[in-house]
Amino acid sequence: MIRVAMLSFWHVHAKDYAKQINEHPDTEIVAVWDEIAERGQKEAEARGVRFYESLDELLAQPDIDAVVVDTPSNMHRDVMVKAANAGKHIFTEKVLATTIREANEIVAAVEKAGVKLTVSLPRLNDGYTLAIQEVLNQGLLGELTLVRARLSHGGAVANWLPAHFYNLEQTGGGALIDLGCHPMYLTRLFLGLPESVTANYGYVTGKEVEDNAVAVLRYPNGALGIVEAGFVNKFSPFTLELHGTEGSMLFGTPDNRIVLRTSKLGEEASKSWTVKEQPANRATAIQQWVGHIRNNTVASENIALALDLTKLMEASNLSVQSDQAVKLSELAQEDAARWV
């Protein structure tokens, strides 16, 4: 068994990851630490495992193999570098870090220690993403000219998000860095890294962080990526649009099906929309992480996309602060090509 410690229950998905760890035949939860001791103690007692008040003491235990990190985002760098230095495998909620400098420091520590890192980017594994990639690989859209991706809910107007999700220091941002991560890494997957990012944030409910956000990714060939996210939209469906010189593809507007129209399959195919079959989902991020631990492999694509996601989020925040486009080349970064 891979013996796992849960590091914090700050994030709303922490209990979901704990459930997946308990359900996986090769993993078990053996310990809990939390930056809020009362919360951590309660979760440890519910699971019948030991609670550690000291993170350093927990990481020093030889009978703990791995950790799941769900701390506030501004703690990710310090917690994960410590965990890697202690030889613990790491699964973490997105974002890896709020700046590319900190994300690179995490990855460097992981690489030096030889531990296995996987970041939760779950929509990479969904059938619609796999189907879209297949269409793109076949060239059925021609040259991509526009990708629009949107994910939104009404958590800020219905008041079901935890209050600490509006804490700018802890989160590094609001709707974009939380929900917007998913459409952002998908847009990056489909279009690659852009030349620059321009973002605009709205504050509908007057919180410290944005609850309405749009980021526009600009590419040297004229293509654009539009990433949208919000906490103030009650019935907004998850939406993907991909448009190219030879065709278009839509998902989630509002049905969870993919429709395709292309001139690459003949005149008849260009006249109407057809439904594209979606394959089964791939293994979950937790399952992939366990596989990397068991097989001594590296989550290369996952890590590369996680690093790029941090670049794009940092660029978006800087764009709002400066009220102008931010070139990715201006960010502090180092070559991550080895992860591709």
Side-chain angles (χ1 to χ4, degrees), residues 235-291:
F235 297 121
S236 176
F238 171 55
T239 298
L240 293 172
E241 296 181 19
L242 293 90
H243 305 281
T245 55
E246 299 288 347
S248 291
M249 185 164 38
L250 311 174
F251 172 80
T253 51
D255 298 326
N256 290 329
R257 62 175 187 164
I258 296 173
V259 292
L260 171 67
R261 188 171 178 179
T262 175
S263 59
K264 299 286 281 187
L265 295 177
E267 185 177 350
E268 288 302 313
S270 68
K271 292 180 179 179
S272 61
W273 296 92
T274 59
V275 176
K276 169 69 177 175
E277 185 177 348
Q278 300 177 46
N281 293 348
R282 290 193 304 197
T284 66
I286 286 279
Q287 291 169 336
Q288 291 178 29
W289 178 53
V290 173

Side-chain angles (χ1 to χ4, degrees), residues 150-197:
R150 175 170 183 78
L151 182 60
S152 185
H153 60 54
V157 288
N159 294 317
W160 55 259
L161 279 175
H164 58 248
F165 263 47
Y166 306 120
N167 184 307
L168 180 60
E169 180 182 4
Q170 292 183 22
T171 60
L176 193 68
I177 206 167
D178 177 45
L179 281 182
C181 275
H182 301 291
M184 186 70 86
Y185 65 69
L186 289 174
T187 301
R188 155 64 186 91
L189 180 69
F190 303 144
L191 275 175
L193 270 180
E195 181 179 58
S196 67
V197 177

Side-chain angles (χ1 to χ4, degrees), residues 188 191-195 218-220 308-309 311-312 328 333:
R188 155 64 186 91
L191 275 175
L193 270 180
E195 181 179 58
R218 187 178 64 193
Y219 293 80
D308 286 350
L309 175 61
K311 290 179 192 175
L312 293 165
L328 265 63
Q333 56 187 303

Side-chain angles (χ1 to χ4, degrees), residues 60-279:
Q61 303 305 309
D63 59 348
I64 294 175
D65 306 307
V67 296
V68 173
V69 178
D70 279 295
T71 67
S73 299
N74 68 327
M75 297 179 67
H76 275 197
R77 185 267 174 205
D78 291 347
V79 169
M80 282 189 261
V81 168
K82 277 188 175 184
N85 290 343
K88 312 304 183 187
H89 305 294
I90 303 167
F91 181 89
T92 181
E93 176 60 81
K94 47 71 183 165
V95 289
L96 180 59
T98 56
T99 68
I100 190 59
R101 186 181 300 279
E102 289 191 340
N104 281 328
E105 289 172 354
I106 293 167
V107 171
V110 164
E111 186 179 33
K112 182 178 180 181
V115 297
K116 306 306 176 185
L117 169 68
T118 301
V119 183
S120 182
L121 307 176
R123 292 173 190 263
L124 293 177
N125 307 313
D126 288 340
Y128 53 80
T129 302
L130 304 179
I132 290 170
Q133 286 183 283
E134 180 185 354
V135 169
L136 295 179
N137 290 338
Q138 293 171 344
L140 297 182
L141 302 187
E143 180 182 359
L144 272 184
T145 55
L146 181 72
V147 170
R148 174 177 176 253
R150 175 170 183 78
L151 182 60
S152 185
H153 60 54
V157 288
N159 294 317
W160 55 259
L161 279 175
H164 58 248
F165 263 47
Y166 306 120
N167 184 307
L168 180 60
E169 180 182 4
Q170 292 183 22
T171 60
L176 193 68
I177 206 167
D178 177 45
L179 281 182
C181 275
H182 301 291
M184 186 70 86
Y185 65 69
L186 289 174
T187 301
R188 155 64 186 91
L189 180 69
F190 303 144
L191 275 175
L193 270 180
E195 181 179 58
S196 67
V197 177
T198 304
N200 282 281
Y201 294 167
Y203 300 83
V204 176
T205 58
K207 301 290 195 296
E208 186 180 16
V209 300
E210 82 281 357
D211 51 25
N212 210 15
V214 175
V216 178
L217 284 55
R218 187 178 64 193
Y219 293 80
N221 67 348
L224 295 172
I226 303 170
V227 175
E228 305 170 6
F231 292 158
V232 290
N233 305 285
K234 190 170 185 178
F235 297 121
S236 176
F238 171 55
T239 298
L240 293 172
E241 296 181 19
L242 293 90
H243 305 281
T245 55
E246 299 288 347
S248 291
M249 185 164 38
L250 311 174
F251 172 80
T253 51
D255 298 326
N256 290 329
R257 62 175 187 164
I258 296 173
V259 292
L260 171 67
R261 188 171 178 179
T262 175
S263 59
K264 299 286 281 187
L265 295 177
E267 185 177 350
E268 288 302 313
S270 68
K271 292 180 179 179
S272 61
W273 296 92
T274 59
V275 176
K276 169 69 177 175
E277 185 177 348
Q278 300 177 46

